[in-house]
Amino acid sequence: MSVPSFASTSFSLQFTSLFVFFILSRTFCLATHANTTTRPPRQLSLNYYAKSCPQLEQLVGSVTSQQFKQSPVSAPATIRLLFHDCFVGGCDASILIASKGGRKELAEKDAEDNRDLKVEGFETVRKAKELVEKKCPGVVSCADILVIAARDYVHLAGGPYYPVKKGRWDGKISTASRVASNIPRANSTVDQLIKLFNTKGLTTRDLVALSGAHTIGFAHCKNFVARLYSYRGKGQPDPDMDPKLLHALRMYCPNFGGNSDIVAPFDATTPFLFDHAYYGNLQQKMGLLASDQALAFDPRTKPIVLEFAKDNHNFFQAFVAAMDKLSLIKVVRGARHGEKRRDCSMHT
């Protein structure tokens, strides 16, 4: 989801406080498969590394728990990193490859749509990979580590813990030119979102559930400033935005010449807690991105938003199911098509 980048905890806390005066006054309730997808290969399993690296999840967990304490932004940053990886060429850690000087074609990481990915996501995988390599050299793929780390952060932020299938190999291709057509925009319509998600083998319900990852994290002003001043180029703010939210956002995001580092929380009520408040916010016209808010009005997605707003358990179940499907998009298997990188930023 063209989920924009996230800012520091200290600033986000200050920003969130601006919403308190009106948040407290409200009560929130909260296909066809394309060729780019694949059913879970038989080689992928929960116990794939049972013999070759039995302590894998504990090793990754030691890194994610430490990172979460030191920098909570690592959670949304890594979840977003996984999404951007899987939607472009499949879950093969190609997003982690660094561009090489002298080459005309940049790597995925440096595509325009990926340039504001937070470093904390990359650092989480790098640190976890270094630790795993010391214990199990040359065994575990960067792709598997990214999927495990994203799951850990969902749970650390208050969301569900779920088993992760393993056995992916790392991809051999990472090109920036593949990115733009595969990543949703902050102003994507529901039609555009459904179509894109369907090409990945994901349903409309999966779309709404995965959008719930915006229950944590922050977006830069550039991704929603048009909603505040001239929505759809009409010179007026988006009528589907809460007036008090609009006023608060305008204080931080001027129409021209603002600070490009300024951010706002996707979920103004519980920005650091992985819960279903995001959906209640959408019902109250408090979605930050146009692509988020649109889910609450379209007849195909509105009933699902309502369901998740009312029932946190249903949201968690749907999110886990959607994350499992997401993590299996075009999985790479074997040395013919993949590799096992020792340094996730460099091809072997």
Side-chain angles (χ1 to χ4, degrees), residues 118-135:
K118 292 293 290 181
V119 68
E120 287 84 355
F122 294 95
E123 278 296 286
T124 290
V125 179
R126 183 187 66 79
K127 291 180 179 179
K129 179 62 170 174
E130 286 183 355
L131 183 59
V132 170
E133 281 297 308
K134 291 178 181 178
K135 301 292 184 179

Side-chain angles (χ1 to χ4, degrees), residues 210-252:
L210 290 171
S211 297
H214 284 179
T215 183
I216 55 176
F218 304 82
H220 283 109
C221 290
K222 67 179 181 179
N223 292 283
F224 56 84
V225 67
R227 295 188 70 201
L228 310 182
Y229 299 97
S230 185
Y231 186 58
R232 306 294 187 195
K234 296 180 178 179
Q236 296 293 326
D238 186 351
D240 290 326
M241 177 177 282
D242 177 273
K244 292 179 180 177
L245 175 62
L246 172 65
H247 175 73
L249 290 173
R250 278 181 162 182
M251 291 178 65
Y252 282 94

Side-chain angles (χ1 to χ4, degrees), residues 78-300:
T78 306
I79 296 167
R80 183 191 179 201
L81 189 63
L82 174 65
F83 183 91
H84 278 232
D85 182 44
C86 293
F87 258 52
V88 181
C91 304
D92 62 355
S94 54
I95 188 71
L96 304 175
I97 293 292
S99 298
K100 287 188 176 181
R103 291 192 177 182
K104 293 182 178 180
E105 178 70 79
L106 296 174
E108 271 177 47
K109 179 181 180 180
D110 295 310
E112 183 65 31
D113 293 284
N114 286 334
R115 287 179 180 172
D116 61 355
L117 290 171
K118 292 293 290 181
V119 68
E120 287 84 355
F122 294 95
E123 278 296 286
T124 290
V125 179
R126 183 187 66 79
K127 291 180 179 179
K129 179 62 170 174
E130 286 183 355
L131 183 59
V132 170
E133 281 297 308
K134 291 178 181 178
K135 301 292 184 179
C136 316
V139 172
V140 182
S141 68
C142 300
D144 277 342
I145 289 177
L146 176 54
V147 174
I148 294 169
R151 183 277 313 278
D152 286 355
Y153 281 130
V154 168
H155 185 59
L156 288 166
Y161 184 89
Y162 51 92
V164 169
K165 298 181 182 73
K166 296 169 284 289
R168 299 164 189 80
W169 284 52
D170 300 322
K172 294 182 178 181
I173 300 173
S174 180
T175 57
S177 59
R178 300 193 302 174
V179 175
S181 61
N182 285 292
I183 298 296
R185 308 293 171 187
N187 62 350
S188 291
T189 65
V190 174
D191 275 338
Q192 291 169 333
L193 291 172
I194 289 176
K195 181 178 179 180
L196 177 59
F197 275 64
N198 282 348
T199 67
K200 311 302 178 184
L202 298 169
T203 66
T204 301
R205 186 175 181 83
D206 296 327
L207 158 64
V208 179
L210 290 171
S211 297
H214 284 179
T215 183
I216 55 176
F218 304 82
H220 283 109
C221 290
K222 67 179 181 179
N223 292 283
F224 56 84
V225 67
R227 295 188 70 201
L228 310 182
Y229 299 97
S230 185
Y231 186 58
R232 306 294 187 195
K234 296 180 178 179
Q236 296 293 326
D238 186 351
D240 290 326
M241 177 177 282
D242 177 273
K244 292 179 180 177
L245 175 62
L246 172 65
H247 175 73
L249 290 173
R250 278 181 162 182
M251 291 178 65
Y252 282 94
C253 302
N255 197 11
F256 302 103
N259 185 338
S260 61
D261 293 327
I262 297 296
V263 296
F266 287 119
D267 174 1
T269 55
T270 56
F272 301 103
L273 180 63
F274 198 101
D275 61 11
H276 66 157
Y278 161 84
Y279 299 101
N281 292 343
L282 297 186
Q283 290 182 306
Q284 302 295 326
K285 296 186 176 182
M286 289 176 59
L288 187 63
L289 305 183
S291 57
D292 284 333
Q293 189 57 63
L295 299 176
F297 301 121
D298 190 281
R300 294 165 292 182

Side-chain angles (χ1 to χ4, degrees), residues 35-57:
N35 291 332
T36 55
T37 65
T38 179
R39 289 185 178 277
R42 282 178 291 178
Q43 297 95 327
L44 262 65
S45 68
L46 300 179
N47 300 314
Y48 185 82
Y49 297 107
K51 293 183 179 179
S52 59
C53 192
Q55 66 272 55
L56 171 61
E57 299 220 15

